[in-house]
Structures are given as structure tokens and as C-alpha cells.
Amino acid sequence: MNPVLEQYESGKPIAEGTLGNLTALQDATLRDLWRRLLASFPNSVAADHNEVDPAATLSPALSPTPQPLSASSVDSSKRSNRLRQASASPATTPTSDKQRSSSSSSWFGFGAAAKPEPTSYRQLVGDVAPEGSRPPERYSSSAMARAAPTVRDAFWDTVMCDHPDVLLLRFLRARKWKPEDALNMLLACLRWRQNEDIDWLVWSGESRLNLALMRSGIGALHRTDRIGQPVLHIPVRLNDPKAQPLEQIVEYTIYLMEVARCVLHPPVEKVCLLVDTTDMSLSNMDWNFFRTFLHYLEHYYPECL
């Protein structure tokens, strides 16, 4: 029987290779990964200098020696800056007489100006929420300029509510218990989280999410399955790819994954993803989003579903 189906028949999640269920070899592999990871922390020294420094694979922002960054360079390197600009309410530019004449004289509408975006296309929850309900600013520009994140900082920001061993074991299982490959995968994940500013998204919460997308009910965590895994329910029929930008759909999905991580506790280490295709049509499918979602699951949220 398929192991995934077998765990639902028995009512017990797969325990092999998880925290508290490691063989002697798996335990030694986990310790090896910890040694390699700690070697990339800024306040530790690698025992074997002949090894390739794993921190060399990181960008300068995550290198063991912090490189001070200016406030402008920090903001420009952050996805949050792009999202703030993209999520701002679009300004309506009055159409000039010349533009009106060119659009009216176009043949059968070809060459006409694009229709303005509706206000709801990029409207955020924070745009309509009371001022007192919004989260405070997490960082000031001066603080960001003084403190450049390191591998250690990025790792512990990523751990959040997870057990540190549980987080490392996910990457080990995804890379067939090869510590060097698991480390490279983990460092790539840390770099992605830093570049995309995932911590800022978690801190801001629903205030930075698309309002129409939140009201649609396209995804929500609701109860648990037979083996205690929280269920992430996605009714595809409610998805309208044209109602909001792709980046805001991806942002909303990442936020749901981060919230799901907060409710996972050993022995439960995974989320049950329920994709409800009832009454869906091809107009509800967004292939660009699904490709991006699967890529994120494989590389940045391994062994989570």
C-alpha cells in the first residue's frame, strides 16, 4: 500500500526520519548538518579548513562578515518595496484630447488605450482597515542601514515556531539524507526569504494582502485531518486570475504557508492541502501561479505537504 494512504488507514503519520524517530545513522547525519550550518555562522569557526565554505554560496547580504548596506540599497533589494509600489492604489491619469482622438480614430479599437484598473485590483486590507489595527513598523531605515542580516539571523528568523531540528530534517529528507546537498538547499531558501522579505510579510500580516482576494475565500486553514494535520482548503472555483496581480496571489499563498507552519507541532510536521475542484472551470485555472506555487513547495517548503 502507498505509505501516504497507509498512514490514513492506521491513523498515525509517517514517523520514519522525523524528530524522535531517527536511526543512529540519521542522527549522525543531522549532527553533521548542524556542524556545517554552524560553520557558516559569523561567530563560529569551521573545524576543517579544507572544506568548502558553505557561506560562500550566499549573497553578500547573508555572508558571515556583515556588509553594511545603505537604506536605499536595502529598500531596492527588497520585494516588499516592489509590493508596496504595486499594491498602492493606482492613480487615475486624465486622458488628454490627443489621446482621446487617437483612440477614437483607431480601427475597430486596435491601438486604443488600455482600460484603467479597477480600484479593487490592487486594494489591500490595510487600505480600509482602521489605523489602530495596523501593525507597527518593524524596522526603521536607519536600523536597516546599520544591521545587515547574516546567516545566523536569517536562519533563526526562518525557524520561527518550528523546532530547529524539525526544520533541518525537512531539508535532509528532501535531499535523501545528503548533508551537503541539504545545506545548499537550506542556504538557497534563506537567500530567497531574505530577497523576498518573507519576515516583513509575516510581520505585516493580513494588512498587506489583497482585499478582494481575502474576501473571495480562496484559501483557509480549517480543522485537521485523520492524522492531526491542519487542512488548507482551496476551492478552485472561487479563483479569478484576472481579479488581482499574480504577485499578490503568490504573496497570499506564501502567507498561508507561513501561518500553517505556526500551527505545526511534532509529531505533526505537514499540512494537508485539499484542492477542491468542485464546479471549477478552465477560467479558474492560473497556470503561471501553479508553476510558481509548485516551485516554492519543492525548493523553499520541502516536506511540508
Side-chain angles (χ1 to χ4, degrees), residues 47-99:
D48 186 358
H49 296 284
N50 294 326
E51 292 183 355
V52 177
D53 185 6
T57 61
L58 283 175
S59 61
L62 291 178
S63 60
T65 304
Q67 301 293 332
L69 300 176
S70 63
S72 60
S73 64
V74 171
D75 291 339
S76 63
S77 66
K78 295 296 184 181
R79 169 174 171 267
S80 60
N81 186 46
R82 301 197 301 272
L83 289 173
R84 290 187 186 100
Q85 294 174 355
S87 59
S89 299
T92 56
T93 305
T95 306
S96 63
D97 295 337
K98 184 177 181 181
Q99 288 175 331

Side-chain angles (χ1 to χ4, degrees), residues 12 15 25 53 64 89 93 129 155 171 179 182 188 250 256 269 284 290:
K12 298 180 181 178
L25 179 59
D53 185 6
S89 299
T93 305
F155 174 74
F171 287 91
V250 174
L256 286 178
E269 298 183 4
N284 301 124
F290 278 105

Side-chain angles (χ1 to χ4, degrees), residues 269-286:
E269 298 183 4
K270 294 184 179 181
V271 176
C272 176
L273 178 63
L274 177 59
V275 180
D276 188 356
T277 59
T278 305
D279 298 331
M280 65 161 287
S281 64
L282 291 179
S283 63
N284 301 124
M285 296 299 295
D286 189 344

Side-chain angles (χ1 to χ4, degrees), residues 79 138 154-162 167 170-171 189-190 192-194 196-206 209 221 230 232 250-265 271 293 296-297 299-302 304-305:
R79 169 174 171 267
R138 187 181 182 191
F155 174 74
W156 291 116
D157 284 343
T158 301
V159 169
M160 292 202 316
C161 299
D162 261 339
L167 180 63
R170 288 196 180 106
F171 287 91
C189 176
L190 297 182
W192 170 77
R193 294 180 66 91
Q194 181 63 35
E196 300 298 313
D197 209 0
I198 304 301
D199 296 330
W200 174 83
L201 172 62
V202 175
W203 176 268
S204 301
E206 290 91 346
L209 299 181
L221 286 166
L232 177 55
V250 174
E251 183 184 35
Y252 177 67
T253 305
I254 294 175
Y255 178 77
L256 286 178
M257 293 298 296
E258 293 296 322
V259 171
R261 287 183 56 206
C262 294
V263 298
L264 292 178
H265 301 286
V271 176
F293 179 52
Y296 284 2
L297 284 180
H299 293 87
Y300 308 133
Y301 295 95
C304 284
L305 287 180

Side-chain angles (χ1 to χ4, degrees), residues 21-284:
N21 299 279
L22 301 178
T23 64
L25 179 59
Q26 291 171 342
D27 184 74
T29 304
L30 176 61
R31 293 173 183 271
D32 185 20
L33 178 57
W34 267 114
R35 181 182 61 82
R36 293 169 183 265
L37 177 61
L38 291 174
S40 67
F41 281 11
N43 59 345
S44 52
V45 180
D48 186 358
H49 296 284
N50 294 326
E51 292 183 355
V52 177
D53 185 6
T57 61
L58 283 175
S59 61
L62 291 178
S63 60
T65 304
Q67 301 293 332
L69 300 176
S70 63
S72 60
S73 64
V74 171
D75 291 339
S76 63
S77 66
K78 295 296 184 181
R79 169 174 171 267
S80 60
N81 186 46
R82 301 197 301 272
L83 289 173
R84 290 187 186 100
Q85 294 174 355
S87 59
S89 299
T92 56
T93 305
T95 306
S96 63
D97 295 337
K98 184 177 181 181
Q99 288 175 331
R100 291 194 189 96
S101 61
S102 63
S103 62
S104 61
S105 62
S106 59
W107 292 354
F108 305 105
F110 291 102
K115 294 181 180 180
E117 294 178 356
T119 305
S120 61
Y121 187 70
R122 299 180 187 273
Q123 190 176 33
L124 306 181
V125 175
D127 295 338
V128 299
E131 184 70 27
S133 66
R134 301 176 188 176
E137 289 294 331
R138 187 181 182 191
Y139 299 114
S140 63
S141 58
S142 59
M144 287 290 290
R146 289 195 303 268
T150 61
V151 176
R152 176 180 56 192
D153 297 332
F155 174 74
W156 291 116
D157 284 343
T158 301
V159 169
M160 292 202 316
C161 299
D162 261 339
H163 191 295
D165 284 344
V166 170
L167 180 63
L168 294 187
L169 285 171
R170 288 196 180 106
F171 287 91
L172 278 174
R173 293 195 299 269
R175 287 298 176 260
K176 309 299 183 184
W177 297 94
K178 297 179 181 179
E180 183 176 357
D181 293 346
L183 178 64
N184 291 333
M185 185 182 186
L186 174 59
L187 294 180
C189 176
L190 297 182
R191 181 169 58 248
W192 170 77
R193 294 180 66 91
Q194 181 63 35
N195 292 338
E196 300 298 313
D197 209 0
I198 304 301
D199 296 330
W200 174 83
L201 172 62
V202 175
W203 176 268
S204 301
E206 290 91 346
S207 66
R208 301 307 304 177
L209 299 181
N210 186 280
L211 178 62
L213 192 61
M214 291 284 290
R215 286 175 171 173
S216 69
I218 184 60
L221 286 166
H222 182 64
R223 297 188 177 182
T224 58
D225 60 10
R226 284 186 180 181
I227 56 179
Q229 297 177 152
V231 177
L232 177 55
H233 181 225
I234 300 180
V236 184
R237 70 180 183 277
L238 300 179
N239 181 42
D240 183 3
K242 299 179 181 180
Q244 60 279 313
L246 174 62
E247 63 183 6
Q248 291 189 353
I249 302 178
V250 174
E251 183 184 35
Y252 177 67
T253 305
I254 294 175
Y255 178 77
L256 286 178
M257 293 298 296
E258 293 296 322
V259 171
R261 287 183 56 206
C262 294
V263 298
L264 292 178
H265 301 286
V268 177
E269 298 183 4
K270 294 184 179 181
V271 176
C272 176
L273 178 63
L274 177 59
V275 180
D276 188 356
T277 59
T278 305
D279 298 331
M280 65 161 287
S281 64
L282 291 179
S283 63
N284 301 124

